[in-house]
Amino acid sequence: MGPVVEILSKERQSRYSLEAKLELKTVRDELFTVEGLPSNRPIEVDDELRSKAISSLSAASKYAFNQMRPDGHWIGEFLSNVTITAEHIFLRQTLGIDLSASRYAFQRFILSQQKQDGSWSIAPKYPSDVSTSLEAYLALKILGAPESAPQMLQAKKWILQNGGAAKMRIFTRIFFAMFGLVPWDAVPQVPAEFILLPKQSPINIYTMASWARCLVVPLLIIRHHQPIYALPNGAFADNDFLDELWLDPSNKLMPYGTPLAQSWGNDFFDFSFNLIDKALWALGGLRRSPLRTYSRRVAVKWILDHRSSDGDCAGFILPMHQNLQALVLEGYAVSDPVIRAGIAAIERFALEDEGGKRIQGILSPTWDTVFMIRALLDSGVSSTDNRIQKAVEWTKAHQILGPEGDWRVYKPELAPGGFAFEYSNNCYPDIDDTAVVILALLEQDSRAIDSPCVIAAARWILGMQNSDGGWAAFDHNNDKLYLNRLPFSDMDALCDPSTADITGRVLETFGKMLELARGKHLPLALLESIEAACKRGITYLAATQEEDGSWFGRWGINYLSGTSNVLCGLAYFHTSYPTVKTLVTPATTWLRSMQNPDGGYGEDAMTYKDRSPSIRGFGDSTPTQTAWAIMGLLTVTSPDEDCVVRAVRWLVERQVEEGSGGSWEEEKYTAVGFPGHFYIGYKFYRHYFPMIALARWVNAVGGVRGKRDSGIFLSDS
């Protein structure tokens, strides 16, 4: 029995004993005091900065409420590179859907993302990328851009100077093969029978990450049919539509994988998977297998079973594209209600403005809503504000309690209770969203701790803890990293293992629950499970801390994000677990040392390509990353420490007027899809994270909580 459970048990057994109550208070105070400077040291408050920070929060609150949707939720634009939009154009071309109405809007967006040297990148202020540039070029040419246009000539020059079309990644080859621009033999074999492998097999669709699984299943069908679709010049198995981008257009059979002789004796999995691929190639991809027809039927059923009623699939645009192509190849007409619903669902991911028309990769309503709730509450908005209550009700209504979910394959006994990132994604609730939902609900009303919603969510998170003590995004024990040696895995993203940033968030959630559980009549068994899970989570974090004190950030860039998340989680366990102090001290030392001369914090996405300590935590200051640093530091650092004050001042001074309120500008992306390959900019990161950081600082030096009736913040009346 852990310390928290012991306290609660003692309280219940001796509820009417004054001595027991006094003893309980003493133990509680010791257990839940955050380590920092001695409590008798007065905080030196910069009243002018505090006043400016409160004004900044007031302006930010106005902006936040102005962005709220009528039904009570928030959603900001999902920013990514042009490939998402380009691949949507490819889809419409393959399905024969007219592009003329949006032709120039698509062109405008793609060209707006082109760099001065003619290339395209996977993120702003990031090195140029051949595959991204190839997809952008093909999309523009499909849309009617002439080869002689200056932008096209620039793009052609850059692509050829960087190795030409032969340097494209595997995923790009799949799209190009469908138009006859590369031979299908340049794409690894993926036999449809793969879907029949049982869950007990060391390799099957469920040992892959959820996002990979959703892409691989339709690919099984696409790879079987090996379609050749028409481009503006016609349909040809050896189409010369992009020959100008090849150094040698007579040889398009690009190799993939490591040569067998090179991998022999060096990498068992690399050698084995390449050997299997060569055998499959020699056997024609098993197309004459007696199980092929049945395998395709199973794949089609899997796709249909994973669709939502509105045509969505996993809330992720890439599998939605490929699912439609697979279903059409299996005989569905474009006019079929299933296909029409899928096309309509994809259109809901589209945005069009003066910058052109683009397709978002994901929609993030739950994520944005719960963080906005937290930011506004921290900033002093009343928990009884009608708008906050409306947002809370919207959030609770999206809890997933049905029978769906791939996580059930390996956790069939676990009851549901999770939340998804997106509007419609019942098959894939995620741990991180579910943890933040609990935090938002408890911060709005601590009495929600024993509500069915919170209890179900907490139990689901408990059941999803991995064997190593950490938590992943979507799956349980999805850590078969040898899958990244498969020939078609050129993004190293086929698995969903435990990560420090999500584990830190879960510890923050469970720490909050343990804190609020004092005096609440929660089942002791649940509290024991939470405390045991936290102990294992802390052990995992101790094992994954870098030598310099930081933690890797899988979902936010990068070590600044990972370290901040972990510190926010460990803040609840400083005195109850002696190990925590040994983790926190080097982490905060590292954070302090990473501050930029201007007072802000920033980190470049190149840290995913080069993980050496020499470049961790370095980069131009951004509002999001500065906020993360403040949030992490405030868990153990006095709010008047110089590094904290300088970071707060950096945020305050860089707030800009936006609409009738105030926000922050941020060009660089600070979130991650696939490290090293796909980066994300969430529009509202630049807003709610600075709000949370400033509010925590203001509350630490005197507070905005308790001043909700002072007129500083907007009222809903």
Side-chain angles (χ1 to χ4, degrees), residues 87-311:
E87 290 157 13
H88 177 70
I89 292 165
F90 303 160
L91 172 73
R92 293 174 72 107
Q93 181 73 16
T94 62
L95 298 184
I97 300 173
D98 184 30
L99 282 161
S100 59
S102 300
R103 181 183 311 276
Y104 297 112
F106 280 134
Q107 284 186 0
R108 191 162 64 251
F109 168 69
I110 294 173
L111 291 173
S112 74
Q113 304 300 301
Q114 189 175 24
K115 300 174 72 170
Q116 288 187 347
D117 62 4
S119 67
W120 283 264
S121 178
I122 60 175
K125 298 185 178 182
Y126 194 85
S128 302
D129 182 72
V130 171
S131 294
T132 303
S133 299
L134 285 165
E135 292 190 32
Y137 186 98
L138 175 58
L140 287 170
K141 203 167 179 185
I142 290 173
L143 293 169
E147 289 181 38
S148 58
Q151 299 95 327
M152 299 292 278
L153 291 173
Q154 274 188 305
K156 172 186 171 182
K157 180 180 178 181
W158 185 90
I159 291 170
L160 291 173
Q161 287 176 340
N162 287 272
K167 297 296 183 180
M168 73 178 74
R169 62 183 179 175
I170 298 296
F171 200 63
T172 299
R173 295 187 197 186
I174 295 170
F175 295 108
F176 278 44
M178 287 192 285
F179 292 117
L181 297 171
V182 301
W184 273 104
D185 283 344
V187 178
Q189 295 289 340
V190 192
E193 289 76 11
F194 181 64
I195 199 168
L196 302 180
L197 293 176
K199 67 178 183 179
Q200 296 83 6
S201 170
I203 303 176
N204 66 83
I205 62 169
Y206 295 106
T207 57
M208 293 181 168
S210 59
W211 53 83
R213 188 182 316 141
C214 290
L215 288 168
V216 166
V217 173
L219 180 59
L220 301 177
I221 294 172
I222 294 170
R223 192 67 178 84
H224 165 79
H225 287 279
Q226 300 185 161
I228 302 294
Y229 295 108
L231 285 166
N233 69 335
F236 308 100
D238 184 13
N239 199 316
D240 63 1
F241 191 65
L242 289 187
D243 274 9
E244 69 270 19
L245 301 184
W246 291 84
L247 297 178
D248 180 9
S250 67
N251 180 20
K252 298 178 182 178
L253 186 58
M254 299 166 286
Y256 56 83
T258 307
L260 288 177
Q262 184 177 331
S263 60
W264 169 253
N266 295 322
D267 189 321
F268 170 77
F269 292 111
D270 197 23
F271 175 80
S272 301
F273 290 148
N274 277 291
L275 183 63
I276 292 170
D277 180 78
K278 297 294 187 295
L280 288 171
W281 186 86
L283 294 171
L286 299 180
R287 280 178 181 76
R288 293 191 175 90
S289 163
L291 294 174
R292 179 52 57 98
T293 300
Y294 174 68
S295 300
R296 287 160 51 200
R297 285 203 304 267
V298 172
V300 168
K301 182 179 185 303
W302 192 96
I303 291 171
L304 295 175
D305 287 346
H306 285 73
R307 289 175 68 256
S308 62
S309 58
D310 61 0

Side-chain angles (χ1 to χ4, degrees), residues 445-648:
D445 185 354
S446 62
R447 295 172 299 179
I449 189 170
D450 57 0
S451 66
C453 175
V454 169
I455 295 298
R459 283 179 168 151
W460 184 76
I461 293 175
L462 283 170
M464 295 298 287
Q465 186 173 26
N466 291 329
S467 298
D468 60 9
W471 280 270
F474 297 94
D475 285 304
H476 179 259
N477 284 345
N478 194 272
D479 54 3
K480 311 302 184 288
L481 298 182
Y482 54 77
L483 293 176
N484 287 327
R485 309 306 296 162
L486 287 167
F488 59 81
S489 173
D490 58 356
M491 293 190 189
D492 293 331
L494 287 185
C495 299
D496 183 15
S498 298
T499 66
D501 43 7
I502 294 179
T503 301
R505 187 104 64 203
V506 172
L507 288 179
E508 182 182 7
T509 299
F510 283 162
K512 185 73 173 178
M513 290 188 70
L514 291 173
E515 181 183 59
L516 293 176
R518 296 174 292 173
K520 303 292 182 182
H521 303 295
L522 295 178
L524 282 175
L526 175 60
L527 293 171
E528 287 177 337
S529 296
I530 289 175
E531 189 163 71
C534 290
K535 187 175 182 179
R536 293 176 58 218
I538 291 169
T539 301
Y540 167 80
L541 292 176
T544 55
Q545 188 173 27
E546 303 289 342
E547 289 186 6
D548 60 10
S550 65
W551 278 274
F552 179 77
R554 167 61 178 85
W555 299 98
I557 298 175
N558 177 343
Y559 294 90
L560 289 176
S561 172
T563 304
S564 176
N565 274 20
V566 171
L567 286 174
C568 288
L570 293 179
Y572 288 91
F573 304 95
H574 286 200
T575 57
S576 51
Y577 294 97
T579 306
V580 169
K581 185 176 181 179
T582 66
L583 305 179
V584 166
T585 300
T588 51
T589 299
W590 180 83
L591 263 184
R592 291 185 183 98
S593 70
M594 291 298 105
Q595 190 165 33
N596 287 331
D598 63 5
Y601 285 81
E603 186 171 6
D604 196 89
M606 286 302 293
T607 52
Y608 291 101
K609 289 290 189 180
D610 179 0
R611 298 188 183 183
S612 61
S614 60
I615 68 169
R616 289 177 193 161
F618 288 101
D620 295 337
S621 298
T622 68
T624 298
Q625 291 166 320
T626 300
W628 287 339
I630 294 171
M631 291 161 65
L633 287 168
L634 284 177
T635 61
V636 292
T637 302
S638 175
D640 62 352
E641 186 170 315
D642 181 64
C643 63
V644 176
V645 172
R646 291 175 62 221
V648 168

